[in-house]
Amino acid sequence: MRIGILGAGNMADALGTQWLRAGHDIMVSGRDPMASAALAQKMTTAAHRPGPIASGPDHAYAQAALGQPGLASPEPDVAHARAGTWAEAAEYGEVVMVAVTEAGLHDVLRAAGPAMSDKPVIDVTNAVGPGAYDVTRSLAELIAESTGGHVVKAFNLCHVDVWRMTPPVFDGRPLAVPLCGDDERALAATRTLVTDLGCTPLYAGALNRAKLLEATAAFMIGLWITGADAQAILPPLDHSGAHPTT
């Protein structure tokens, strides 16, 4: 699929490079056209080095949902990254990822224009800095209201270095990526991109639960910054009470 990325920073680099390896075409966009072009070249070069390509059972389903052939293993040598303006990236992508700072979010969405309306939109943003998170609002819902896109909140719980791993597996267990969204087509596309990283997609509820996912990021990042092992605060599944059978 074609992925337009609003942003030309570390998250665009890490996730975009992995998706290039999986056979998706990428357009990045940023405030500095020369820096965006340099990033696109760097990503393409990195993606064409030998490396594993992840796949998963959701891949063919998501391709069909996007109206594309069900290719279980896209050819990585045909994928490449390019650079464009905010509006060009929003227009280019069959799926658009928002990967800019909260401070610049309004300006970027305005510059991107109406092209994200009715498209799958992946929001990876977090409010960062002391007191930056506001429990009364959700950045994901703001993006949905501003663009008319079908937003899925995802990829916001991990440091960028995790997304550079091929794949992110810890103690033999693939990383689970929670997804919050309302639109099945957008969720299906996001599941594909999660499994292409070698991770496990985990549906975490409707878009109105994105504020909880954003709050979790704010809380966990605060612990990690102090050097705490934030993962240690959660017991294993076997010790977390009764669970409904499936």
Side-chain angles (χ1 to χ4, degrees):
M1 69 182 81
R2 296 190 311 275
I3 304 170
I5 301 180
L6 303 185
N10 288 330
M11 287 291 281
D13 181 15
L15 289 169
T17 300
Q18 298 284 35
W19 291 330
L20 281 168
R21 290 190 177 114
H24 306 292
D25 289 312
I26 305 291
M27 180 181 284
V28 295
S29 55
R31 298 186 185 282
D32 183 339
M34 292 184 64
S36 297
L39 175 63
Q41 180 59 55
K42 173 192 170 189
M43 291 165 63
T44 299
T45 300
H48 288 269
R49 297 186 187 120
I53 300 173
S55 61
D58 292 303
H59 192 283
Y61 173 64
Q63 293 290 344
L66 288 167
Q68 298 179 346
L71 302 176
S73 300
E75 290 294 334
D77 59 345
V78 302
H80 64 284
R82 65 194 77 189
T85 65
W86 303 117
E88 287 169 342
E91 178 67 33
Y92 175 82
E94 295 165 283
V95 174
V96 180
M97 183 174 80
V98 180
V100 297
T101 63
E102 182 203 12
L105 184 59
H106 287 282
D107 289 342
V108 169
L109 296 180
R110 189 177 304 112
M116 292 178 344
S117 179
D118 203 37
K119 285 186 178 181
V121 176
I122 300 172
D123 169 32
V124 307
T125 62
N126 281 318
V128 296
Y133 177 72
D134 183 351
V135 72
T136 65
R137 63 173 184 164
S138 161
L139 295 176
E141 290 175 306
L142 182 154
I143 292 169
E145 292 166 3
S146 299
T147 66
H150 301 296
V151 176
V152 177
K153 188 78 184 190
F155 303 109
N156 71 311
L157 291 185
C158 294
H159 189 274
V160 65
D161 287 347
V162 172
W163 305 124
R164 300 187 193 279
M165 298 174 67
T166 52
V169 174
F170 302 93
D171 296 326
R173 183 177 63 181
L175 181 72
V177 179
L179 315 178
C180 290
D182 297 327
D183 182 79
E184 184 51 42
R185 176 170 168 260
L187 287 163
T190 309
R191 289 187 194 107
T192 287
L193 297 178
V194 170
T195 56
D196 282 343
L197 299 177
C199 299
T200 302
L202 180 65
Y203 180 62
L207 189 63
N208 62 12
R209 290 178 60 84
K211 61 175 63 71
L212 302 179
L213 194 49
E214 293 174 10
T216 300
F219 183 75
M220 302 296 269
I221 290 169
L223 292 176
W224 284 320
I225 287 174
T226 68
D229 181 1
Q231 191 178 36
I233 70 176
L234 299 174
L237 182 63
D238 290 345
H239 296 275
S240 58
H243 309 100
T245 59
T246 57

